[in-house]
Amino acid sequence: MRFSQIAAAYATALLMAGTAPAQSQQETPHISLELNKLEASGTACRLSFVMENRSSQDIDAASYEIVVFGKNDVINQMSVFDFGVLPQDKTIVRQFELSNLTCEGTGKLLINGPAGCSTEFVSGHCTTPLSLQSRTSVSLIQ
């Protein structure tokens, strides 16, 4: 085999290897929800979330039922968090203050599911999977 044939074969192999990861990295449509920060605010705990709408559509209204557990795994509060409009391929930040809750005593947050969904109103958040992450010591689970 001559050098030019070897070089051509090597270049072809590199090109094929370079396209494989790109194909496997295509994202499944989802909404990314990250618990980014918890901070005390008087007698409340302020929760800061970062969301990214990686679905194939704008979402006009997104609400989720969230259950707050203490570090002892006992339910502390249950609330519906209204994240509002989620434009497609956009990152947003939303903050919620939960009264009579200490951040230090919070163990985990359970996303119980989408809220406000019915047969008459099917928002994109009702059917789009969630991808969860927490940058805090408090777990974010489904």
Side-chain angles (χ1 to χ4, degrees):
M1 214 182 227
R2 294 188 327 197
F3 177 75
S4 61
Q5 291 172 318
I6 293 171
Y10 182 72
T12 301
L14 282 176
L15 284 173
M16 291 177 70
T19 59
Q23 291 171 348
S24 67
Q25 288 178 0
Q26 288 181 346
E27 281 189 350
T28 302
H30 68 279
I31 296 171
S32 172
L33 178 61
E34 173 188 277
L35 178 58
N36 186 273
K37 186 177 181 181
L38 278 88
E39 61 187 327
S41 174
T43 61
C45 180
R46 181 179 302 130
L47 293 83
S48 298
F49 292 93
V50 177
M51 293 186 83
E52 293 181 65
N53 178 359
R54 298 291 176 218
S55 72
S56 57
Q57 61 185 325
D58 290 338
I59 296 174
D60 294 333
S63 298
Y64 293 93
E65 185 178 67
I66 297 181
V67 182
V68 181
F69 287 85
K71 290 193 175 182
N72 58 0
D73 281 336
V74 174
I75 295 171
N76 187 311
Q77 290 187 33
M78 213 169 146
S79 299
V80 173
F81 288 27
D82 183 0
F83 290 92
V85 176
L86 301 177
Q88 180 183 359
D89 295 325
K90 178 94 170 103
T91 302
I92 63 163
V93 174
R94 297 287 187 258
Q95 293 183 321
F96 302 93
E97 285 195 12
L98 297 179
S99 59
N100 300 318
L101 180 72
T102 63
C103 296
E104 301 82 34
T106 303
K108 65 185 170 189
L109 299 179
L110 168 67
I111 309 303
N112 218 20
C117 301
S118 68
T119 54
E120 294 84 37
F121 178 74
V122 182
S123 174
H125 85 290
C126 298
T127 57
T128 303
L130 278 176
S131 169
L132 303 178
Q133 179 181 352
S134 177
R135 292 190 182 268
T136 74
S137 61
V138 174
S139 301
L140 189 60
I141 61 171
Q142 295 189 73

